[in-house]
Amino acid sequence: MPKFLLMVNHDSGVFDEPMDQWEPADIAAHFDYYTALGKELTDSGELSRFTALADPQLAKIVRADGTDAPPLVTIGPFPETTHFLAGFNVLDVASEARALEIAARISAVPGPGGAPTQRPVEVRQVMTDHRGDNTPY
């Protein structure tokens, strides 16, 4: 079965206010939705991995020239906040259509007042090796 990577950025979807300004009940509902969806996908065997990432302000940029010289490690420059990866899912599903269906459910995660956030979710198939046997790199 093909694997797909679903990526969610710090984009707030249709809401202007960041999550740290939401009501506590709305934040809880948001994470409860993700928990329930994660359990459903784990139970079905479709969720290979889910990872939420720490705040982008903690990120480092590493550049190395391939020599024995130490790499250059910097803080930034970073893209605009909405382009930071917030988390990702790796799915092992029957088809791209199923991956898109799951991405739509992630996009509909509730925000303030329970309204769907409509966050954009990028869906990309995981590359397989040259043998064509669906073994991921």
Side-chain angles (χ1 to χ4, degrees):
M1 289 201 304
K3 289 189 184 294
F4 288 87
L5 176 68
L6 279 57
M7 295 173 280
V8 179
N9 288 346
H10 277 271
D11 187 307
S12 297
V14 297
F15 297 100
D16 292 329
E17 62 275 356
M19 185 183 294
D20 62 1
Q21 295 177 12
W22 295 3
E23 294 295 324
D26 290 333
I27 294 171
H30 183 87
F31 286 111
D32 288 348
Y33 180 96
Y34 275 129
T35 298
L37 180 58
K39 181 178 180 345
E40 176 187 326
L41 296 174
T42 298
D43 290 349
S44 72
E46 295 174 301
L47 183 62
S48 294
R49 178 171 199 108
F50 165 75
T51 302
L53 301 173
D55 191 290
Q57 294 178 27
L58 301 173
K60 307 284 188 293
I61 304 293
V62 178
R63 289 185 175 81
D65 63 7
T67 68
D68 289 335
L72 175 63
V73 180
T74 61
I75 300 172
F78 295 118
E80 117 178 37
T81 308
T82 58
H83 294 122
F84 281 114
L85 188 62
F88 62 90
N89 300 278
V90 179
L91 305 175
D92 192 0
V93 293
S95 65
E96 180 183 55
R98 178 63 177 147
L100 296 173
E101 178 184 314
I102 295 167
R105 292 182 63 195
I106 292 170
S107 178
V109 64
T117 61
Q118 301 179 47
R119 296 176 105 166
V121 178
E122 183 176 346
V123 178
R124 295 178 63 183
Q125 188 166 356
V126 175
M127 286 179 53
T128 56
D129 73 13
H130 64 280
R131 294 181 303 240
D133 64 1
N134 287 334
T135 302
Y137 276 104

